[in-house]
Amino acid sequence: MPNSVVLLNIQSDRIDAEVQIPLSELQAAFGHAVNDSSTGLVARLGPDLREYLSQHIRPVSLNGQPWAVAVGALKVQETKNPINGTYRELTAQVRLVPPVGQDVRQFVFRYDAVLHQVVTHKILVSVRQDWVRGQVVEESPAQVGVIELDIINNRIPTLPVNLKTGSLWTGFRAMVQLGIRHIAEGTDHLLFLLVLLLPAPLLVTGSKWHGFGGVRYSLRRLLLIVTAFTIGHSFTLLLGTLAWVKLPSQPVEILIAVSILVSAVHAIRPLFPGREAWVAGGFGLVHGLAFADTLTNLHLESGPLLWSLFGFNLGIELMQLSIVALVIPWLILLSQTRIYKATRIVGAMLAGMAALAWVLERVSGQANIITIGVEQLADYAIWLVLGLALLAVTSWWQTHKAYSRTLPG
């Protein structure tokens, strides 16, 4: 028996709820053939559905004062599977606003849509987002309770909602963790940065990479590249999150893949020697627009949004710097050996192949065997770093051992 679901997004002065009602159940309660004839349902019966929901969603404060209820966008979703056949549900966006001075985190939820006629129906109520409690939208909703018929007393009980208080620090910390998780799972973002760093320890002679430039030279170039990338993506993350700049996600994602391809070619043969920082900053602008999508999808208020922006960006930087710190020592060590040229070229070619596969995937909308393989390989990133470390140490030791033999005496 399909049940209704109510997902609550807790804001400081209101609750934005998403109500999901199976049309097969709604049909029996609403009195119209909404399931049998769902085509054009919202256009045909939208005002009646909003009126029905407004009558059956009635939260009140603890002192009994009613909340304002506004039913917004309606949408019909349809899914099919071999076992249950076709399933249709109505999704409604509902804004719940308490009276002035009343606590948005403590109230009595009176809800009896469908249940007032279909006594076997249940309503599952959960919190999907509660920023001050550190719960963001990507996590599983936390169930508050279930509204169902009290068979013994033959009545529909109300649901007391008493959410624990949160804090600015809890919300900020959750956003730092979200930033860390986002970049850890963003294989393409990290691959761009790592490929751009591949030739950083090397000098340029003519149109070729040539020889180790020294530790100070390498660290300076690495610092410039990472800082430029950070400035670039932070700038567009700010603009995108505040909705001052908005681009469709598909071209942004394609440009990110192109940025990896350009960096891969540069790692094989210098395209813009000495200007890596400018290129990192420029492509960082593109990557920042992709980061901004994560925050804009949270639909936060201005206060939490600014803290979220800071925390999310801080999480991204912490994760980036951690990965750079894990990889760079071995690249510097390896760049002093004979095998670095082959390692750099093979690494760049593999990154270039992944970039082309991502371009194809993002243009066609279909995953391919290479992109699937890259995502699976990312799960073993720590072993790849360990392998790089072992290769670097072994090669460096052999190189210096051979060099020592050539010294007189």
Side-chain angles (χ1 to χ4, degrees), residues 115 118-122 146-157:
L115 184 56
V118 184
V119 296
T120 55
H121 195 68
K122 295 180 182 179
V146 179
I147 301 174
E148 57 185 327
L149 182 69
D150 178 353
I151 298 175
I152 296 175
N153 299 302
N154 192 31
R155 66 181 185 88
I156 299 174

Side-chain angles (χ1 to χ4, degrees), residues 217-295:
Y217 168 85
S218 303
L219 291 178
R220 180 178 176 277
R221 280 165 54 86
L222 293 168
L223 182 63
L224 284 173
I225 292 170
V226 173
T227 302
F229 182 64
T230 298
I231 292 172
H233 75 63
S234 297
F235 183 62
T236 44
L237 172 61
L238 172 66
L239 297 182
T241 303
L242 297 178
W244 292 347
V245 173
K246 180 66 177 175
L247 292 178
S249 62
Q250 186 185 29
V252 171
E253 294 296 329
I254 292 172
L255 279 175
I256 288 173
V258 171
S259 73
I260 300 170
L261 182 61
V262 172
S263 300
V265 174
H266 178 67
I268 297 172
R269 194 178 186 86
L271 295 178
F272 35 82
R275 298 190 297 276
E276 288 87 352
W278 289 101
V279 175
F283 279 129
L285 296 173
V286 179
H287 287 245
L289 289 173
F291 296 153
D293 274 350
T294 301
L295 290 188

Side-chain angles (χ1 to χ4, degrees), residues 118-181:
V118 184
V119 296
T120 55
H121 195 68
K122 295 180 182 179
I123 298 101
L124 314 179
V125 182
S126 301
V127 173
R128 179 168 60 181
Q129 181 182 318
D130 189 358
W131 192 88
V132 295
R133 290 283 300 157
Q135 184 181 353
V136 292
V137 75
E138 291 190 345
E139 298 170 358
S140 300
Q143 190 170 87
V144 174
V146 179
I147 301 174
E148 57 185 327
L149 182 69
D150 178 353
I151 298 175
I152 296 175
N153 299 302
N154 192 31
R155 66 181 185 88
I156 299 174
T158 58
L159 176 66
V161 177
N162 185 6
L163 303 174
K164 293 181 181 178
T165 56
S167 68
L168 197 65
W169 167 247
T170 305
F172 175 75
R173 189 176 59 188
M175 296 311 299
V176 173
Q177 292 169 345
L178 180 62
I180 290 174
R181 192 164 66 243

Side-chain angles (χ1 to χ4, degrees), residues 38-60:
S38 61
T39 304
L41 175 64
V42 174
R44 195 172 71 250
L45 293 173
D48 296 323
L49 286 166
R50 288 188 178 89
E51 178 63 23
Y52 172 80
L53 291 175
S54 297
Q55 291 175 357
H56 293 277
I57 302 175
R58 294 166 290 113
V60 298

Side-chain angles (χ1 to χ4, degrees), residues 177-203:
Q177 292 169 345
L178 180 62
I180 290 174
R181 192 164 66 243
H182 186 77
I183 201 68
E185 295 170 354
T187 312
D188 49 356
H189 299 294
L190 287 175
L191 191 58
F192 164 73
L193 190 59
L194 292 176
V195 174
L196 199 59
L197 293 177
L198 265 180
L202 303 179
L203 297 166

Side-chain angles (χ1 to χ4, degrees), residues 378-400:
D379 294 337
Y380 300 93
I382 189 63
W383 293 106
L384 295 175
V385 173
L386 289 174
L388 177 67
L390 182 62
L391 177 67
V393 171
T394 305
S395 303
W396 184 85
W397 181 76
Q398 289 178 339
T399 299
H400 278 260

